[in-house]
């Protein structure tokens, strides 16, 4: 087996089936190094990583792995410990692998994007530090992924591949600069390319004036994307939390569903994300108690029922959680009236 | 740099280096204060801050699997033009962040001289996100980097220009595990096995935990069986859907088969919430052979898709939106791809 | 009339009377040659033929469950105004077919004098399609005709005018068997049981085939059990979803329960292919009590829906399209209906 | 039991649980009489039905039952035979009930509608006569329903509640009368209410001229519905055949899928619907062979797989059959290469 002392993951072992014929790659392991949030580096630190990689591994990297880690490819188990310690001395730790929390990752967010409604780098860094143990010592039923996108464009593709996806969103009205709208109007047909494409048809452009019925806006970003100089996300910024996305194994691929339509992440930041951490812990506890081996949390929720899951983690059902309410009428009512007192009762 | 004793103690659980230490000064000054951006030309954009400061980004296509020499080369460029700072993107591109507009062109020249393309912004073909493939993964049904290189050579032009109707996100995963965000890509190429794993009957007991191997199969095709007196398993060929899940759990059930491994193409996935909801990619070509080193069949199929899309989609329509408008029957008609029973989803009751 | 010996032979398998014998002459002459139609006023339309002939239709709301006297009354009117011809619609309305425009008003007066409304065309509330209910069905959880009568009395005005944004198709089914096209209605009211069937243990063996009773349950809640030495079944309360399927197969498992039976409301279904695809109705109110004779709770809920729709929908938007545009969260917000775990579909893996 | 000699259905029996207390309704059966296609009647025949109903039943009718039958309510078994025979002498036969073909029904079609692309009354009448035995003597696994709508408006709601739904459709271009378009333009905003609502955005209205890119038209009817005087369905008329719709029991409600995107029903009419009857027979044979008790044909197809079903009835898979191609990658390939000859082989 490949790995380092005290860690249950972070290194993926690979042994050749024909070690005698190919002694050079009889072992060819990969280390996952937790990337720097936002994928920001300095030349200095990169060169030092290159040196470590040359010295202890095959001189090959992935910048980055699909989860987000830096990967160092092609070392032998005997090099593992030194490679690891050199990395830690440079400030890098291992990322996740196996049935553990996987290395969280995020979009560039407020560092270089005007649309981020919260600090994606800060939250990702904070959660990563908080859950070092869950990342390095696999005790889950299966993997668990967290990704943070600053706005509904979801530039980290969190919605399709993270058990917990945090996506920035806002509440107040989209900020409109009519002068800049007029500038864009010179460049393209605003009615055709912006207004007519609004999914809820809540925009209007008449007599050179753009108006938005924000009460019907679903915060899709399209209009803002199209005219970044003229439109800006509304204030009252927060995030949406989705749960349960994953790719095919074992059940089939699925997108997540909205667990919290508006999470006041900027307020929670001031409290060291206490609310979020508590929520994550409750989800893990539930998964730990009811999940089976190799069952992602989304599959578990489907198996036991969304209602039961919500009850367990203490959230109320909301229409935002479903694409649409049920169409099939097989409702498992739990309340009923009892003949004697004609009072509403709960099933035993 | 994190504040730990670097001398003698064994360091663990420190987490990543703190990002604040790696942000270029102009970003530190304008963190969270960006006002808007403009795309200046393919691969180049500017972000303007409330403070009036301007940050120029030059996006460079990277191969993702890179050598330490590459790392040193880009570090040199970062030193020369960007005060030693640089970043990667979520699709494995490299970005140079400049505070001086006049550095853009010289930088681009040097980047191109190294053999790397500048582009991948706006209505272009983004960098192909991919996975390990034959390089490092045992489950792989195809060679990630090889196919991706062949594709990017061929469609290079769509990366360095922005003449597609909208962003096209292409991704490659070498097996059904679909590492990466391949499942929801405009064009997804996925390695496919077509035969059940082989049972190395004598090794099952030693290498595998039989109950979890059986439980791993999504279609209940793995069953316990005693072979030559040893506990082992058998695989029901009629049920197996070649997913490799049992192999992940039990290395004595290798699934690779040079003759029958190949790739499938799924299209019309989307992650952003812009205009339409995120959605998974849908099957268009169930199987194409691995034909190294240039995978001509795959390239032809992708060309067919890209050309039909370029021709048929309206400005601003992602692949998913285009097909949504014209309908799948029309898509199959235009492209000439055969529609088979494999295109119909029977795997799960729904 | 079909050509069979009407004297002595026992007649079977003749099928229905041939429709050609029942078409008014103007229709026979213009069969398949209609050019266009116009709606003249609520409940009245004209179809114009290639030949120039004009056919006037007056649509009359019927109760569907009708007496033989009603049948004779409408027959008299048909004789008087339509040469003895008349027809029903797929939603149980009655239609008088006139070839003389001047007959429209006198006919309408006589119809109204009989107490029946003229309307139900175009942007109106159509006739409520309904089922047997307590009148004739053993599975029913509510009283079809009773609820429908109360509703139609209340929303009469929407039938005789066309002031809704679009057609609204309301339907009622008295149990989950959903007889009728209730499942895909703009507003569907469905009788709901809330308790498992009672097992009349001593009668199961005589009245039922136990294996098929067990097989009938969609959630495997019926299990074999010997009770007092007799083969019978038991029902797992924790699983049962009160569908009545087992009762349909086995009359010794009655499910009706006056205290707990009631109705649910589903909305946003649609059958036509116009603009958007057909779709089933979705749950908005999981349970309301049976409160005869006027079902005030049901009427209130339907009023809430109709008013929100009338207020919020744009001209031409069916209920489904309206909600599609504003989103379900907004719908629940506007109407104030409580969103519960029952609204989330967990019944089937999907 | 309630019923008439030689028939297995057409009468639904109802016995009171408390016959002694309510002797008048101790039996209260219902007869389903096959309606006249299009629901056309004469006063003469209605009066005679009323007489039969008064004489032998409770004087109550349903005009009509939800499937389409006339229902006569409230008679005793001892009246059944005479009631039945009086009806047959009037020209009426019983409809379907139980695990049988149910009474087919249709929209008013060419009798009073300008949009019917085929003769809904004729086909429904023809099929009903053809399958008298399947209707009157239940031998199926469960019920089977056929409904015929003359165009995609589907005024008989076939798409949501018939195992086999036939819906008129056309191939050639929608016929446009620009003069009448101009008339409608005076009444409402054609761009807003017609063009912008076309689901495939294949219409254009510029400078008072309406154009349609029929190659992208999905024949939804919206534009025609909105301007019946100006637009007419295209020629080359036919129908779409859908299979598998049903309401909840036992699995859950489902809409059907397109089995045949364009069925040349008007040609088939000349051959006494030989193609359609053959298709129906093949579907029944398949259902008979593989279906289980109380399994609707749509549920069976889902259970065994659409591909296998199509193979059995001899149809090719077509993209029209699916809402979208599969997203999950668990493909059950049947072809593979064999090492020796490197030839494409079929699984044994
Ligand atoms: C290295 C990496 C691919 C890459 O080249 O980028 C990778 C590689 C493997 N993945 Fe993955 N996965 C990688 C990102 C992903 C992602 C993307 C993501 O995390 O955003 C996914 C899809 C998202 C998801 O989790 O749903 C992903 C979904 C899987 C799955 C399917 C899980 C499922 O629930 O369906 C498996 C199968 C398994 O866990 O047994 C899997 C299993 C594996 C294994 C461990 C297969 C195995 O049994 O050995 C691969 C090891 C390859 C190797 O030799 O290094 N990998 N894998 C990615 C991790 C690098 C990193 O840490 O940055
Ligand atoms: C740098 C990066 C974030 C990061 O932290 O690394 C980024 C950066 C930007 N994205 Fe993105 N996106 C990045 C990955 C993504 C992804 C994720 C992915 O591709 O895996 C998505 C989701 C794609 C999808 O839906 O499948 C994504 C969907 C968008 C969209 C929505 C596009 C749409 O109409 O669907 C926009 C808005 C736009 O371009 O109009 C956007 C807009 C932007 C803007 C304009 C945001 C800004 O103001 O700075 C940035 C440059 C645009 C560009 O590349 O054309 N970004 N963006 C990622 C660059 C990836 C790359 O190298 O190609
Ligand atoms: C008489 C009848 C057919 C029959 O054989 O009995 C009929 C007759 C007409 N229908 Fe219908 N439809 C009839 C049931 C239906 C149904 C089925 C149902 O309600 O169960 C539907 C599907 C409803 C649904 O989608 O849930 C139906 C969806 C339509 C539509 C599509 C409306 C839409 O925009 O979704 C049209 C077109 C329109 O009205 O613009 C239409 C149009 C018409 C026209 C204008 C056709 C014509 O040119 O003659 C007829 C009068 C319109 C009206 O009633 O407003 N007919 N029509 C049925 C009258 C039922 C009733 O008494 O209320
Ligand atoms: C009379 C009628 C309701 C009405 O008042 O209109 C009716 C009445 C019954 N239906 Fe129905 N169904 C009637 C049309 C329908 C329809 C509508 C249709 O045919 O277009 C449906 C939905 C379409 C479908 O079949 O999917 C329908 C779906 C059911 C079901 C559920 C079938 C399923 O696969 O989900 C059952 C349950 C069963 O078969 O055991 C059912 C069972 C029944 C039974 C036989 C219940 C029973 O076990 O006794 C009802 C007898 C009532 C009685 O006492 O007369 N009835 N039933 C309709 C037949 C009249 C006619 O022949 O014209
Ligand atoms: S997800 Fe939003 S905030 Fe983050 S980089 Fe993309 S556009 Fe900017
Ligand atoms: S963000 Fe999207 S939904 Fe909101 S107004 Fe803009 S385009 Fe419309
Ligand atoms: S997609 Fe499959 S083969 Fe490729 S890296 Fe992931 S697990 Fe390995
Ligand atoms: S490859 Fe997949 S389907 Fe086949 S036996 Fe293994 S786990 Fe089952
Ligand atoms: S809906 Fe249920 S109760 Fe009503 S008639 Fe049909 S089977 Fe009977
Ligand atoms: S009522 Fe339905 S769910 Fe309950 S036991 Fe009977 S068949 Fe099963
Ligand atoms: S379905 Fe079409 S043809 Fe039949 S009545 Fe309705 S609109 Fe006319
Ligand atoms: S029938 Fe429907 S799809 Fe075709 S042009 Fe008219 S509105 Fe568009």
């Amino acid at each position: 087996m490949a790995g380092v002392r005290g860690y249950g993951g972070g290194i993926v072992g690979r042994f050749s089936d024909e070690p005698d014929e190919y002694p050079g790659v009889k072992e060819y392991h990969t280390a996952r190094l937790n990337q720097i949030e936002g994928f920001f580096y300095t030349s200095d630190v990169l060169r030092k990583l290159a040196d470590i990689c040359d010295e202890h591994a095959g001189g090959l990297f992935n910048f980055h792995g699909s989860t987000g880690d830096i990967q160092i490819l092609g070392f032998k188990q005997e090099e593992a410990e030194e490679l690891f310690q050199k990395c830690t001395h440079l400030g890098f730790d291992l990322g996740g692998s196996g049935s553990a929390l996987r290395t969280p990752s995020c979009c560039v967010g407020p560092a270089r994007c005007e649309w981020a409604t919260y600090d994606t780098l800060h939250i990702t860094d904070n959660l990563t530090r908080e859950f070092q143990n869950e990342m390095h010592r696999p005790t889950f039923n299966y993997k668990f992924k967290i990704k943070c996108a600053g706005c509904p464009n979801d530039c980290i593709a969190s919605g399709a591949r993270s058990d917990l996806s945090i996506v920035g969103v806002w509440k107040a009205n989209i900020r409109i600069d009519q002068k800049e709208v007029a500038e864009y109007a010179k460049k393209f047909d605003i009615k055709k390319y912006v207004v007519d494409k609004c999914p809820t048809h809540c925009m209007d452009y008449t007599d050179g004036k753009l108006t938005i019925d924000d009460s019907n806006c679903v915060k899709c970003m399209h209009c803002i994307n199209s005219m970044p100089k003229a439109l800006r996300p509304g204030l009252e910024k927060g995030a949406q939390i989705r749960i349960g996305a994953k790719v095919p194994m074992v059940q089939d691929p699925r997108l997540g569903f909205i667990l919290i339509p508006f999470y006041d992440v900027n307020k929670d930041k001031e409290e060291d994300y206490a609310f979020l951490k508590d929520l994550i812990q409750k989800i893990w506890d539930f998964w730990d108690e009811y999940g089976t081996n190799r069952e992602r949390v989304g599959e578990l929720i489907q198996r036991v029922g969304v209602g039961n899951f919500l009850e367990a983690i203490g959230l109320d059902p909301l229409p935002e959680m479903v694409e649409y309410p049920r169409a099939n009428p097989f409702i498992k009512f739990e309340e009923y009236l009892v003949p004697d007192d004609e009072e509403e009762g709960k099933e035993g | 740099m994190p504040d730990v004793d670097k001398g003698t103690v064994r360091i663990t659980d420190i987490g990543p280096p703190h990002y604040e230490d790696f942000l270029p000064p102009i970003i530190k000054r304008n963190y969270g204060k960006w006002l808007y951006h403009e795309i200046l030309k393919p691969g180049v954009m500017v972000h303007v801050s409330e403070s009036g400061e301007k940050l120029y980004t030059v996006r460079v296509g990277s191969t993702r699997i890179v050598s330490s020499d590459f790392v040193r080369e880009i570090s040199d460029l970062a030193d020369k033009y960007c005060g030693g700072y640089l970043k990667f993107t979520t699709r494995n591109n490299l970005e140079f962040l400049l505070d001086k507009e006049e550095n853009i062109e010289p930088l681009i020249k040097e980047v191109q001289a190294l053999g790397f393309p500048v582009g991948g912004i706006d209505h272009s073909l983004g960098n192909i996100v991919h996975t390990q493939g034959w390089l490092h993964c045992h489950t792989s049904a195809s060679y990630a980097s090889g196919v991706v290189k062949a594709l990017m050579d061929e469609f290079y032009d769509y990366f360095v220009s922005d003449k597609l109707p909208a962003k096209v996100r292409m991704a490659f995963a070498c097996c059904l595990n679909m590492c990466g965000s391949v499942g929801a890509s405009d064009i997804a190429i996925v390695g496919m096995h077509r035969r059940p794993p082989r049972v190395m009957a004598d090794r099952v007991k030693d290498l595998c935990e039989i109950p979890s191997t059986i439980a791993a199969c999504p279609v209940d095709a793995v069953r316990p069986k005693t072979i030559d007196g040893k506990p082992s398993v058998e695989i029901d060929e009629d049920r197996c859907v070649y997913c490799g899940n049992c192999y992940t759990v039990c290395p004595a059930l290798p699934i690779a088969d040079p003759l029958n491994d190949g790739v499938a193409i799924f299209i019309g996935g989307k992650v952003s919430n812009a205009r339409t909801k995120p959605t998974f990619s849908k099957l268009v070509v169930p199987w194409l052979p691995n034909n190294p080193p240039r995978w001509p069949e795959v390239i032809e199929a992708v060309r067919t898709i890209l050309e039909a899309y370029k021709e048929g989609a309206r400005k601003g329509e992602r692949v998913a939106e285009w097909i949504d408008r014209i309908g799948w029957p029309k898509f199959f008609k235009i492209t000439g791809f055969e529609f088979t029973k494999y295109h119909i989803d029977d795997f799960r009751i729904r």
Side-chain angles (χ1 to χ4, degrees), chain A, chain B:
Chain A
M1 287 303 299
V4 302
R5 192 149 46 90
Y7 277 44
I11 288 178
V12 176
R14 207 54 89 207
F15 299 88
S16 173
D17 266 353
E18 305 180 28
D20 299 333
E21 198 158 344
Y22 306 104
V25 291
K26 75 168 194 268
E27 285 179 65
Y28 198 84
H29 310 315
T30 292
R32 297 183 176 175
L33 290 192
N34 199 142
Q35 81 287 358
I36 303 177
E37 304 318 342
F39 308 109
F40 282 98
Y41 296 89
T42 57
S43 51
D44 180 51
V45 83
L46 283 182
R47 285 198 193 93
K48 286 177 179 153
L49 283 173
D51 292 343
I52 297 175
C53 185
D54 280 343
E55 216 171 316
H56 298 283
L60 276 186
F61 285 100
N62 284 162
F63 271 105
H64 291 83
S66 301
T67 305
D69 294 293
I70 306 167
Q71 291 180 290
I72 295 184
L73 279 74
F75 58 88
K76 301 200 176 68
Q77 172 58 22
E78 64 198 44
E79 303 283 343
E81 186 61 29
E82 211 177 326
L83 184 147
F84 170 50
Q85 279 304 306
K86 283 209 177 145
C87 289
T88 59
H89 281 83
L90 192 57
F92 286 91
D93 200 341
L94 293 184
S97 75
S99 291
L101 172 65
R102 297 311 184 81
T103 314
S105 63
C106 63
C107 79
V108 65
R112 204 216 30 216
C113 185
E114 66 267 36
W115 295 326
T117 65
Y118 71 104
D119 192 340
T120 53
L121 286 73
H122 188 271
I123 197 172
T124 308
D125 183 80
N126 187 296
L127 294 177
T128 304
R129 286 179 208 286
E130 175 82 17
F131 297 122
Q132 284 289 298
N133 193 42
E134 285 76 3
M135 201 156 98
H136 294 144
R137 289 157 204 98
T139 56
F140 290 169
N141 295 310
Y142 202 4
K143 58 192 76 171
F144 191 93
K145 295 182 177 173
I146 302 177
K147 289 183 164 63
C148 306
C151 82
N153 280 332
D154 197 357
C155 293
I156 186 76
S158 70
R161 56 176 182 148
S162 27
D163 303 275
L164 196 87
S165 142
I166 303 179
V167 175
V169 79
W170 65 91
K171 262 185 170 170
N173 291 357
I174 290 177
R175 290 170 286 169
I176 308 179
D177 179 339
Q178 299 288 355
K179 242 188 20 244
E180 292 294 341
V181 172
E183 289 302 313
Y184 280 109
K186 293 178 195 157
K187 293 184 217 155
F188 56 81
D189 183 341
I190 291 186
K191 172 92 173 62
K192 182 164 172 189
Y193 290 107
V194 185
V195 172
D196 283 355
K197 291 192 154 205
C198 168
T200 61
H201 303 300
C202 70
M203 309 185 79
D204 184 68
Y205 182 65
T206 314
D207 302 332
K209 191 162 180 263
L210 188 77
T211 50
I212 299 178
D213 167 10
D214 286 83
S215 76
N216 278 322
C217 162
V218 289
K219 283 64 175 158
C220 85
M221 286 296 294
H222 172 68
C223 58
I224 301 173
N225 290 342
S226 309
M227 310 195 283
K229 262 175 124 158
L231 302 182
R232 303 178 68 191
L235 298 170
E236 268 191 79
K237 296 171 177 183
Q240 209 173 65
I241 302 184
R242 295 181 160 261
I243 182 120
K246 57 172 292 286
V247 296
M249 304 302 169
V250 177
Q251 293 283 336
D252 57 11
R254 67 196 60 193
L255 298 165
F257 68 89
I258 299 171
L259 190 63
I260 301 197
F262 191 85
Y263 156 52
D264 194 344
V265 47
N266 294 307
K267 192 177 132 240
D268 203 27
K269 182 183 181 187
E270 287 160 27
E271 283 143 33
D272 197 35
Y273 305 108
F275 171 84
L276 181 62
K277 287 173 187 171
D278 179 58
L279 179 73
I280 292 173
Q281 198 58 60
K282 279 183 187 146
I283 293 168
W284 286 345
D285 288 347
F286 182 80
W287 188 33
D288 192 41
E289 179 141 21
Y290 299 104
T292 64
N293 186 33
R294 282 175 69 77
E295 184 176 49
R296 296 284 284 261
V297 75
E299 292 165 337
L300 166 66
I301 294 171
Q302 179 187 283
R303 181 165 59 80
V304 301
V306 176
N308 294 330
F309 167 69
L310 294 175
E311 239 160 55
I313 64 166
L315 289 179
D316 286 333
L318 295 173
E320 283 84 353
M321 293 173 176
V322 295
E323 202 181 321
Y324 41 78
R326 73 185 307 138
N328 100 46
F330 298 112
I331 304 177
K332 181 77 195 112
F333 288 108
E334 287 171 5
E335 300 81 20
Y336 56 88
L337 296 164
V338 184
D340 290 334
D341 48 1
E342 309 220 344
E343 289 281 302
E344 198 107 343
K346 271 262 178 195
E347 195 163 71
Chain B
M1 294 289 118
D3 194 15
V4 281
D5 175 355
K6 287 171 194 163
T8 46
V9 204
R10 184 164 182 274
I11 306 176
T12 66
D13 299 285
I14 53 170
H18 200 285
Y19 61 89
E20 278 185 5
D21 302 326
F22 297 85
L23 300 175
I26 177 172
I27 285 192
K28 270 202 157 159
R29 286 194 300 274
N30 298 290
Y31 197 90
K33 295 191 197 133
W34 302 107
L35 212 50
Y36 65 87
H37 74 276
E38 272 176 313
I39 291 161
L40 302 178
K41 58 179 247 183
V44 183
M45 59 183 167
V46 59
H47 283 77
V48 182
S49 160
E50 287 169 7
S51 71
E53 281 198 281
K54 290 184 178 180
L55 173 71
Y56 301 92
T57 299
V58 174
R59 186 175 292 174
V60 176
S62 152
T63 52
R64 185 183 91 127
I65 301 201
V66 298
S67 65
S68 43
D69 286 348
F70 168 86
V71 170
R72 292 188 186 99
E73 282 166 357
I74 59 173
S75 295
D76 292 347
L77 289 178
D79 283 345
K80 190 158 167 195
Y81 294 104
C82 314
Y85 294 91
L86 78 178
K87 80 178 286 290
F88 294 88
T89 72
T90 60
R91 293 188 79 80
N92 308 320
N93 279 313
L94 173 65
E95 286 181 342
F96 290 103
L97 306 165
L98 303 91
D99 47 13
K100 292 194 190 61
E101 191 168 6
E102 60 273 22
N103 276 339
I104 296 175
E105 292 310 322
L107 170 67
I108 290 180
K109 278 218 183 67
E110 289 209 45
V111 164
Q112 286 168 340
L114 285 175
F116 292 91
V118 168
I121 292 186
D122 216 18
H123 292 187
S124 64
L125 176 65
N127 203 355
I128 303 183
V129 164
H130 65 103
T131 48
Q132 295 293 323
W134 293 336
L135 177 69
H136 197 262
C137 197
H138 52 178
T139 337
S140 47
S142 187
Y143 180 33
S145 336
V147 190
V148 166
K149 170 71 175 139
L151 283 164
M152 274 316 237
D153 282 354
E154 198 67 30
F155 301 114
Y156 180 86
D157 208 36
Y158 289 128
F159 181 86
V160 299
S161 63
D162 60 354
K163 53 193 179 194
L164 288 167
K167 278 182 177 22
V168 174
R169 303 303 208 194
M170 190 140 79
F172 185 98
C174 22
C175 84
L176 295 201
N177 282 337
M178 287 195 167
C179 295
S181 64
V182 60
S185 306
D186 295 287
I187 304 182
I189 306 176
V190 180
M192 302 296 273
H193 300 289
R194 289 201 304 178
R195 300 293 296 140
R198 292 175 304 287
V199 179
M200 297 162 70
D202 49 328
R203 308 195 59 193
V204 169
K205 173 138 200 308
D206 303 335
L207 292 176
C208 319
E209 207 201 307
I210 291 180
S212 60
T213 308
I214 291 170
C217 179
V219 294
D220 295 331
V222 183
R223 287 164 200 163
K225 188 178 186 182
T226 305
I227 301 177
D228 293 336
K230 261 188 146 181
S232 183
V233 297
E234 67 173 347
I235 289 174
D236 181 348
E237 291 213 7
D238 287 344
R239 289 184 153 244
C240 175
V241 288
Y242 328 117
C243 73
N245 229 326
C246 54
Y247 176 52
T248 300
V249 176
C250 169
L253 302 176
I255 191 168
D257 172 352
L259 211 49
N260 283 294
D261 290 350
V263 302
I265 303 181
F266 294 73
I267 73 168
K270 170 171 178 296
V271 175
S272 85
N273 294 278
R275 300 172 303 284
T276 59
K277 293 196 175 139
T279 182
F280 282 116
S281 319
K282 316 295 185 304
L283 182 69
V284 294
V285 181
W287 195 82
L288 290 171
N290 279 321
N291 195 351
R294 302 306 289 177
W295 274 266
E297 294 85 354
V298 177
I299 285 174
E300 265 325 294
V302 171
R303 187 197 312 287
T304 303
I305 295 162
L306 281 174
E307 280 178 3
Y309 167 64
K310 212 182 142 204
E311 173 77 15
R314 297 187 181 161
K315 205 182 137 210
E317 273 180 344
R318 296 278 301 264
V319 171
E321 294 163 271
W322 164 55
I323 298 180
D324 208 42
R325 178 170 56 79
I326 67 166
W328 286 100
K330 186 96 193 270
F331 172 83
F332 280 93
K333 203 171 141 195
I334 297 173
T335 56
F337 292 137
E338 192 195 356
F339 187 89
T340 69
K341 64 192 231 179
Y342 301 138
H343 290 85
I344 304 175
D345 191 356
D346 289 325
F347 173 67
R348 291 265 169 224
I349 304 274
R350 59 194 58 236

